Amino acid sequence: MSLRCCATLLAGLFLTVAAYGQGQPKADPSRGQQISGQVCAACHGADGNSPLAPNPILAGQHAEYTQKQLANFKAQGGKPAERPSAIMAGMVASLSADDMRHLGAYFESQKPRPRAARDAELVKLGQSIYRGGILAKGVAACSACHGPNGAGMPAQFPRLAGQFSEYTAAQLKAFRSGERANDPNRTMRALAEKLSDREIAAVAEYISGLR
């Protein structure tokens, strides 16, 4: 992938995600906490530190990204959801756009618990891909967008550090198959399509240990 192509993709992604945080009243984390207790806590934990690998850790995630994902789970304007999920569709059905903003602000304010990777061999391969990409396949380094420590960039790229390896791998495979397609300009699909199962597992394992 050329630098010019990367720049074009990243610019489009920034504009799409950033739009969710512009021209809106300030979000209220305390209101988000109330909504979370009613809608989110059972699966994602009271503070967004999910106890179960299939359910992503939301604590510390950038507010704009969480807001966008919640909006994408909801069918709107007679159109199907951009990110189909039978479970999440039910969860967001009664949420307003303001509710989603409040939830994003609440989870962003929570502290993610540190986690550790478990497979040293996978971590070694995952570190290589995350930091340097795979030149032979035209795969860009994950760190270029998500940062060297997986912190991401507010209003642009999500936080990945400490996420369950099982969840990260599942999302990369969903991007690869096209099952998940709510990435602006096909940024994630274009990368995931080039990754093997082992490469996906390695990147996911490495990310799980980032702090």
Side-chain angles (χ1 to χ4, degrees):
M1 183 180 292
S2 69
L3 291 176
R4 179 177 297 179
C5 182
C6 276
T8 301
L9 289 173
L10 300 186
L13 183 59
F14 168 76
L15 291 172
T16 301
V17 179
Y20 281 85
Q22 294 181 347
Q24 299 174 332
K26 187 176 180 179
D28 182 356
S30 62
R31 176 57 183 150
Q33 183 177 19
Q34 295 174 357
I35 299 169
S36 174
Q38 299 167 351
V39 181
C40 315
C43 295
H44 296 281
D47 61 352
N49 281 289
S50 169
L52 301 172
N55 305 325
I57 296 165
L58 304 179
Q61 185 58 266
H62 305 308
E64 296 90 347
Y65 181 79
T66 297
Q67 183 186 352
K68 178 183 184 297
Q69 298 312 303
L70 290 171
N72 286 174
F73 282 125
K74 189 172 186 177
Q76 301 184 55
K79 297 180 180 180
E82 291 184 50
R83 185 177 176 183
S85 168
I87 294 175
M88 286 304 301
M91 296 295 102
V92 302
S94 62
L95 297 181
S96 67
D98 283 343
D99 291 337
M100 295 177 187
R101 288 193 306 105
H102 299 325
L103 282 169
Y106 170 65
F107 287 125
E108 184 179 57
S109 71
Q110 300 305 295
K111 186 175 181 179
R113 297 172 191 161
R115 299 180 56 79
R118 297 164 294 185
D119 189 318
E121 184 178 349
L122 279 179
V123 166
K124 185 176 180 179
L125 174 60
Q127 181 183 56
S128 174
I129 297 171
Y130 187 92
R131 292 185 176 181
I134 308 175
L135 184 60
K137 290 186 173 183
V139 174
C142 309
S143 60
C145 296
H146 297 283
N149 62 352
M153 297 175 67
Q156 297 180 57
F157 308 108
R159 173 188 172 86
L160 301 180
Q163 189 57 263
F164 291 117
S165 59
E166 296 90 340
Y167 179 79
T168 299
Q171 295 312 301
L172 286 171
K173 289 179 179 178
F175 279 126
R176 185 177 66 182
S177 69
E179 177 185 351
R180 180 173 173 182
N182 69 327
D183 52 325
N185 295 318
R186 298 189 80 256
T187 304
M188 286 304 304
R189 281 172 286 173
L191 294 176
E193 287 167 358
K194 301 173 183 178
L195 297 176
S196 68
D197 283 351
R198 179 168 174 75
E199 289 163 346
I200 284 176
V203 169
E205 185 70 13
Y206 178 68
I207 285 170
S208 71
L210 289 176
R211 301 184 183 183

